[in-house]
Amino acid sequence: QVQLVESGGGLVQAGGSLRLSCAASGRTFSYYAMGWFRQAPGKEREFVSAIRWSDGMTDYADSVKGRFTISRDNAKNAVYLQMNSLKPEDTAVYYCVADASLTIATWKRKSAYDYWGQGTQVTVSS
């Protein structure tokens, strides 16, 4: 079993920054990708960003491009999300995800990921 534990969420004013961290533990395997989804109240869970473990290839939702940066630490089995220029509409629960067998064609789909963290709340005040 793989456990994903997020940290770093909190309350920040619009225009501020936060850095989310996700540490993977338990059964180890070669991840294909890790990433982040988010879910705002009353909305569907949506893709935020993903990173391919082998070469660091990244992808972002249009709504966060240029503001968020995903990175990884292979030695620590960890992924990070640096969030800058935060907006009130970024308020959501952020979930770390991982999978060993998805493809780039599917990695924006929540159904593609087998492993999910418990989520961390990010609240951006106006």
Side-chain angles (χ1 to χ4, degrees):
Q1 190 70 10
V2 173
Q3 292 83 39
L4 303 176
V5 179
E6 303 100 333
S7 61
L11 173 64
V12 64
Q13 288 189 330
S17 298
L18 282 174
R19 184 178 188 242
L20 304 183
S21 301
C22 174
S25 62
R27 172 179 168 263
T28 58
F29 59 86
S30 297
Y31 300 109
Y32 180 85
M34 292 184 72
W36 297 90
F37 280 70
R38 69 185 182 186
Q39 188 167 19
K43 294 189 176 182
E44 293 286 323
R45 194 169 297 188
E46 64 177 4
F47 172 81
V48 175
S49 183
I51 186 165
R52 189 162 62 185
W53 215 245
S54 59
D55 61 4
M57 176 182 173
T58 61
D59 200 1
Y60 297 91
D62 288 342
S63 59
V64 306
K65 279 182 183 176
R67 301 187 298 123
F68 291 11
T69 303
I70 191 170
S71 60
R72 76 199 192 291
D73 185 327
N74 295 46
K76 295 182 178 180
N77 280 337
V79 66
Y80 308 97
L81 187 69
Q82 178 66 43
M83 305 185 295
N84 298 329
S85 302
L86 283 161
K87 304 175 181 180
E89 51 263 44
D90 294 317
T91 295
V93 177
Y94 284 70
Y95 296 91
C96 178
V97 294
D99 200 87
S101 61
L102 52 72
T103 68
I104 293 176
T106 61
W107 74 350
K108 289 186 176 181
R109 302 177 189 172
K110 51 183 181 288
S111 61
Y113 293 88
D114 284 340
Y115 302 103
W116 291 76
Q118 81 286 354
T120 186
Q121 177 70 46
V122 171
T123 303
V124 184
S125 63
S126 57

